[in-house]
Amino acid sequence: MEKHFYKSSGISLITGSALIIATMVLHPAGGSIEHIIKSTKSITATHALAIFSLPILYFGFYGLTNKLIDKWKFAKLALIFIGFGLIAAMFAALINGLTLPFFLGKYENNIAENESTLKLITSYGFSINKSLDYIFIVATCLTVFIYSVLIISSKILPKWIGYFGISLITLAVIGLLSSFTFTNLIGFQVFIFGIATWFLATGISLFKSK
């Protein structure tokens, strides 16, 4: 039964990784209020896809946690961190991807009369989104670091995955220290593509593990 559980959780990590990569590829660029209203369908679709991928990813990490569990139970700490991160990601997608376009759409025919108010609300939404993005980024980095250390020390999964994870986190820290912006579209895509590659490699290894 455990063998099938690790296979299903590995498939979940692979599927979740593919979905978030697809989300980033299809994610439309931001813009004016008029642009957001015109792009409502694509914005809603991509963010709905992102939200759909989150529980799938979490199940995958639940399987990875069981695979890497040690006497100190640090794998459970990693699972808690990723849980916080995925919740933050869900709220970010919900606010800017579903709520904001729906709200702005109500003013499609009278944007000029309410422009100052709409810009203020839009700016506030983006500010919340930026805070949630940082929560997701930090939580994900801590998660990958803990899992990577456990992978290296336990030798249950290929060691290169652990070293790859630590390398990614090191680059992320260097980026933060050098003022690289992870919260704009390009910066967030770079982070997601890098981290999703680690998710994907881990999922494949978990699927193949004995």
Side-chain angles (χ1 to χ4, degrees):
M1 289 184 68
E2 281 192 354
K3 178 181 177 182
H4 289 88
F5 171 52
Y6 293 138
K7 283 187 177 298
S8 64
S9 54
I11 291 171
S12 291
L13 272 178
I14 295 168
T15 304
S17 302
L19 288 174
I20 60 174
I21 289 173
T23 299
M24 288 293 101
V25 171
L26 298 172
H27 195 295
S32 64
I33 293 173
E34 291 85 354
H35 176 75
I36 293 173
I37 293 173
K38 287 180 182 179
S39 307
T40 292
K41 288 185 178 180
S42 59
I43 292 173
T44 301
T46 53
H47 286 83
L49 183 64
I51 292 172
F52 176 71
S53 71
L54 301 181
I56 297 174
L57 278 172
Y58 190 76
F59 178 74
F61 283 115
Y62 176 65
L64 181 61
T65 298
N66 279 270
K67 187 73 172 177
L68 297 176
I69 201 73
D70 63 318
K71 65 180 180 178
W72 299 102
K73 302 295 188 289
F74 281 126
K76 289 188 177 181
L77 177 61
L79 185 64
I80 292 170
F81 275 130
I82 197 60
F84 272 101
L86 294 180
I87 289 171
M90 180 190 70
F91 279 115
L94 180 64
I95 292 170
N96 268 7
L98 302 180
T99 306
L100 190 60
F102 176 75
F103 175 79
L104 293 177
K106 293 182 177 181
Y107 296 89
E108 184 175 6
N109 298 319
N110 52 357
I111 295 174
E113 296 90 329
N114 302 280
E115 187 172 7
S116 59
T117 303
L118 293 177
K119 282 186 176 180
L120 183 62
I121 293 172
T122 303
S123 177
Y124 181 65
F126 288 153
S127 296
I128 295 176
N129 188 78
K130 180 178 281 191
S131 300
L132 291 169
D133 283 348
Y134 274 121
I135 292 173
F136 170 74
I137 290 169
V138 172
T140 303
C141 287
L142 290 171
T143 298
V144 172
F145 177 76
I146 295 172
Y147 280 136
S148 295
V149 170
L150 291 174
I151 288 170
I152 293 170
S153 61
S154 66
K155 301 178 183 178
I156 294 173
L157 296 178
K159 276 182 151 187
W160 71 265
I161 296 176
Y163 290 120
F164 177 46
I166 291 175
S167 299
L168 284 175
I169 302 310
T170 302
L171 289 174
V173 171
I174 292 172
L176 287 171
L177 293 176
S178 60
S179 300
F180 181 80
T181 305
F182 283 104
T183 53
N184 61 21
L185 181 58
I186 299 300
F188 198 64
Q189 283 179 332
V190 169
F191 177 80
I192 290 296
F193 287 143
I195 222 70
T197 304
W198 187 87
F199 291 173
L200 190 61
T202 306
I204 293 171
S205 296
L206 189 60
F207 177 80
K208 291 180 176 180
S209 66
K210 297 180 180 180

